[in-house]
Amino acid sequence: MGLCKCRNVTNLFCFEHRKNVCEKCIVSDHYKCVVKSYLQWLQDSDYDASCQICSQSLEQGELLRLSCLDIFHLKCVNDMCSKLPETTAPAGYACPVCNAAIIPPDNVNTQIAELVRSAFSSANWAQNILPSKRTVVPFPETSLQRNAHVTTTPAVISNVEQARSTTVSIDSGILPPKKVTTKASSGSIRDGDDDKYKLGSERSSTSWAPRGRFLSPKRLAVGLGILTAMIIFLYYFII
């Protein structure tokens, strides 16, 4: 990363002038230079200032820099793409060095990308690749679109209005009446946990009583027997 003469932060580096350059600098001052990333220059500072298609010097002929920053003769790129079959997919028109697309994607709006599109605007092989000349195939009509003209019957409208009348309006604060369920009859078995979440004033008068299993007749008889035995023991052996 570095600053170019425009004071823009950039990671592009001119191999010939050995300085950081931005896209604006490349188009205006370094249109014939070999430009790559600064990291590539640190790995290998050697460069070949010739067209990688015809191996001729870049000082001759009209030049074209692709979006991948590789530079060629415009005529060489045009001739190479014209020799490809007409059925070639857009991805087949690629840079011979890095295999990147010659025509930039639609979402690339850099100045170099616009220059590439304008350079091949009249080329026959690029007519179906350029965004402005691409053929748009309409989608088939769906069943929903075919039935869009169907009108609703009065019965459907009445059902919708009835549903709207019974709809609860949350914004207005109107809630449906709460359903009140009656308690079990007096003859039914009452659970002792029914009153544990109620306030003290709301609890029933019998909710404090222990459950029936602690006062069973069998346990009462055993308790009375033990108490009688203790009284007899105290009467005969102590008194």
Side-chain angles (χ1 to χ4, degrees):
M1 299 293 289
L3 293 176
C4 66
K5 72 172 187 177
C6 304
R7 311 303 296 174
N8 293 327
V9 179
T10 176
N11 64 340
L12 302 180
F13 196 80
C14 177
F15 280 45
E16 297 184 19
H17 298 91
R18 296 192 177 185
K19 59 169 59 176
N20 291 97
V21 291
C22 64
E23 184 179 8
K24 183 180 178 181
C25 297
I26 294 174
V27 175
S28 59
D29 301 331
H30 301 268
Y31 56 92
K32 291 185 178 182
C33 301
V34 176
V35 177
K36 295 182 181 180
S37 66
Y38 182 69
L39 181 61
Q40 289 177 299
W41 182 80
L42 292 177
Q43 294 173 351
D44 186 8
S45 59
D46 293 336
Y47 66 94
D48 183 13
S50 62
C51 176
Q52 299 300 315
I53 299 176
C54 64
S55 301
Q56 299 296 324
S57 175
L58 296 175
E59 297 294 333
Q60 302 175 357
E62 185 177 2
L63 303 179
L64 175 68
R65 188 183 301 276
L66 303 181
S67 298
C68 58
L69 300 180
D70 290 324
I71 187 170
F72 307 95
H73 291 121
L74 176 60
K75 185 179 181 301
C76 295
V77 178
N78 196 14
D79 294 343
M80 180 189 69
C81 294
S82 299
K83 294 178 182 179
L84 295 176
E86 296 181 357
T87 57
T88 303
Y93 299 96
C95 172
V97 177
C98 63
N99 205 31
I102 294 179
I103 303 298
D106 300 351
N107 57 350
V108 179
N109 297 320
T110 61
Q111 189 174 0
I112 295 177
E114 294 298 331
L115 291 175
V116 173
R117 295 190 184 104
S118 62
F120 298 115
S121 59
S122 59
N124 294 329
W125 60 268
Q127 298 308 306
N128 294 328
I129 305 176
L130 293 172
S132 59
K133 300 183 180 181
R134 189 174 300 162
T135 304
V136 179
V137 179
F139 287 98
E141 186 180 7
T142 60
S143 59
L144 182 61
Q145 294 174 343
R146 289 195 298 267
N147 298 330
H149 64 280
V150 178
T151 58
T152 57
T153 60
V156 175
I157 296 175
S158 61
N159 293 335
V160 173
E161 292 178 353
Q162 184 179 3
R164 288 180 179 175
S165 62
T166 58
T167 303
V168 178
S169 177
I170 298 177
D171 296 336
S172 59
I174 302 175
L175 297 176
K178 185 177 180 181
K179 293 183 179 180
V180 180
T181 57
T182 58
K183 294 184 178 180
S185 61
S186 58
S188 61
I189 299 174
R190 181 179 176 81
D191 191 358
D193 293 335
D194 291 343
D195 298 332
K196 66 180 181 179
Y197 296 111
K198 295 182 180 180
L199 298 177
S201 60
E202 297 178 355
R203 293 181 182 178
S204 62
S205 59
T206 59
S207 62
W208 59 271
R211 297 186 179 183
R213 63 175 180 270
F214 295 105
L215 296 178
S216 62
K218 185 177 180 180
R219 293 191 177 187
L220 287 175
V222 173
L224 290 176
I226 294 173
L227 182 60
T228 304
M230 292 178 63
I231 293 173
I232 295 173
F233 177 80
L234 293 174
Y235 181 78
Y236 285 102
F237 294 97
I238 297 178
I239 299 177

